[in-house]
Amino acid sequence: MATSHSPPTSTPAPDRRTWHSVLRHDLPASLVVFLIAIPLSLGIAAASGAPLIAGLVAAVVGGVVAGALGGSPLQVSGPAAGLTVVVAGLVSQFGWAATAAITCAAGLLQILLGVTRIGRLALSLSPAVVHGMLAGIGVTIAVQQLHVVLGGQAQSSLIANLAGLPGQLVAHHPASVVVGVLTVVMLLIWPRLPKVKVIPAPLVAVVAVTVLAASLRLDVIRVSLPDNPLQELVVPAMPTGGPLAIGTAVLTVALVASVESLLSAVAVDKLHRGKRSNLDRELIGQGAANAVSGALGGMPVTGVIVRSSTNVAAGARSRASAIMHGIWIAVFVLAAGALLELIPMAALAGVLLVTGLRLVQLAHIRTLRRHDELLVYVVTAAGVAVLGLAEGVLAGLLLALGRVLYRLARATVTATEEDGVWIVRIRGTLVFLGVASLVRTLRTIPVGATVRVKLQVDHLDHAAYEAIEDWQRGHVARGGTVELNRSAFRAALHGGTTGPRWLTRWQHDQVVPAPDQRVSTLDGIREFEDSADLIRPMLAQLAADGQKPAQLFITCADSRIVPNMITTTGPGEQFCVRNVGNLVPPYGSNSNSVDAAVEYAVTVLGVSSIVVCGHSHCGAAGAALDGPPDDGSGLRTWLRHLEPSVRRAVALPDIVDPATGVRLSPADKLSVANVAVQLENLRSFASVRKAEDEGRLELVGLWFDIGAAAARLVLDRRPYLVRADEELAATAAPADL
């Protein structure tokens, strides 16, 4: 458990910052990324209609400049498939020299966005729009490159490519088809081979089909590079056209490159435990890379998730890997460019065909369907593929905005008679757009009736407030009665939630209600049933889909711990085990219930993480320190499992909270040490060890400070707590814990 806010003890510097770490980890990783970047850069340049040397220039500049200046230390930048459609359109409209100038200007705009610290606003885009944009681009690339695989030329649009496919299928180009199909087959099969998948599939596929084509002397179109690459670099030229067209082009490149880079940086952060990305700095680094790449006649640069994930998987620890991979590309092109000219274009097209299809991810589609965002995804993807990138994204944004406005203005108002009393239920968000429907429903209530108004809204504006007030006064004046919770009514006007207690966030006066205000269990169940239709569709879907949690959460039975609140998880996302002291007795301890839960979660449910969560003010820890009652009770028997944790805690130095600097009490120190011991106990299960060794399972230690409402990470070999938002340096850990 280490942190940059550790107590002032002598802690060795993380070895990833040393030359030893660079040589041991970053150098091998850079070679792996270099090998995968060559075919991807050439293929993207060919698909974009740019000179092939422009793709290699972008790869070199992206690695060196963005790697050195960016804010995401493990992200690798270069030409990306996501910009293929944009660049192809710019080349067709302005020509390559002008496109290079547009790239340079877009880079300067990205630097401005990063300096003004508004770059991260790009992440405010709806995920449905972003993933839909990538899917539309992926489909366009796949259909486009299918023409090249078949031995023909790609057309300028998806419609033209689809229309030309029958003619392309009739034309016979057997050599290109063999090369392209073999490339695709190898790309799909190679990652499934267990002992060789560490070698990048694109590299294996391109090298294999290149050797095959050369040995059989197949008549195929091959890569063509200038004899002297440095002398053939294109000088940027001012675009010809109206200011609006040029400005739109610059803005499009800047925004698409920024969004893709930032999303990639966030995704890369989830793949490792190193330093988190500084998104504003990353945008500045990407802007500098685009400015330099455009000035040298290269393609636009973005962060690329394929190369970045390969970089992390290959063991990179710092930005040195990305920088060195760019250097290797430059050296290879200048010293051995003739080897690249042996590569068939159909092989590069096969790589891009698979890459494009992988931009359409079924996991994203399933997630968006569960959140009722699939329509936005489909509209964006179809718009990008058929109309163009800007038009498709705009259509998706307008639809997403329209759905938000619809949900904000949507309120359900019903009036039903139950046992002589009219019940008016108002649910949702009630603003001025829904006042007309509200008034129509209220006017259906007979004069003089007894009415009970049940508000379950998260907000109502002043127009709706006055409408209900006016109706109430009129109804009472005509002899009727109205029962309305005035405090809840006013709370809704000021943005408070008036729904049932089980859907309401904890408030200060609701945490520990007075004894005379506590609601019985049966009353609570009845309240749930009255408003269960609010979540019934979601639970019905969960019932139909079955149990598919992402994590096993093992925590204490303490009533103050609310696991779903700590982890921000909802129904179906967490498989939870609770017991006194959040204990996981070692395998073979005859703790059948915990054993069964661990085995079931790992082998049947296939969870991707197991979290052991201890907490402050733990009664089990206090009892273990004071000595459990010597009466042979079940509590004493159970707390014996804490004895290894007590011995571990006694041997540890003081533990200090990394944020507050407060030294933990002996009981809290024990609860932290106990988390680490339980992580060790989990590894006594063969199924857990196997899943962790195969990379399918992650073990996470967590300690929750109840009074501070703060979660701290616990690394099982370190004596200090780690803030969840700080760097997790998992290497060179002293075996203190």
Side-chain angles (χ1 to χ4, degrees), residues 425-503:
R425 293 183 174 88
I426 305 176
R427 298 168 178 162
T429 301
L430 187 58
V431 295
F432 66 95
L433 295 174
V435 167
S437 174
L438 168 68
V439 172
R440 282 197 302 270
T441 301
L442 293 177
R443 287 178 177 174
T444 62
I445 299 174
V447 174
T450 299
V451 181
R452 181 179 302 142
V453 179
K454 292 188 175 182
L455 284 174
Q456 295 174 358
V457 300
D458 48 28
H459 177 74
L460 60 83
D461 66 2
H462 199 73
Y465 180 85
E466 286 193 345
I468 296 175
E469 285 272 270
D470 291 344
W471 167 82
Q472 181 186 24
R473 284 194 295 267
H475 188 76
V476 172
R478 290 189 290 271
T481 58
V482 177
E483 179 183 330
L484 177 64
N485 188 326
R486 305 297 300 179
S487 61
F489 191 33
R490 293 189 177 92
L493 178 63
H494 293 92
T497 302
T498 64
R501 291 183 305 110
W502 58 273
L503 283 179

Side-chain angles (χ1 to χ4, degrees), residues 81-105:
L83 272 168
T84 299
V85 176
V86 177
V87 175
L90 295 179
V91 173
S92 175
Q93 182 178 1
F94 298 103
W96 177 247
T99 300
I102 290 172
T103 299
C104 186

Side-chain angles (χ1 to χ4, degrees), residues 412-436:
T412 302
V413 184
T414 60
T416 57
E417 186 179 9
E418 300 177 9
D419 298 328
V421 178
W422 282 81
I423 307 297
V424 177
R425 293 183 174 88
I426 305 176
R427 298 168 178 162
T429 301
L430 187 58
V431 295
F432 66 95
L433 295 174
V435 167

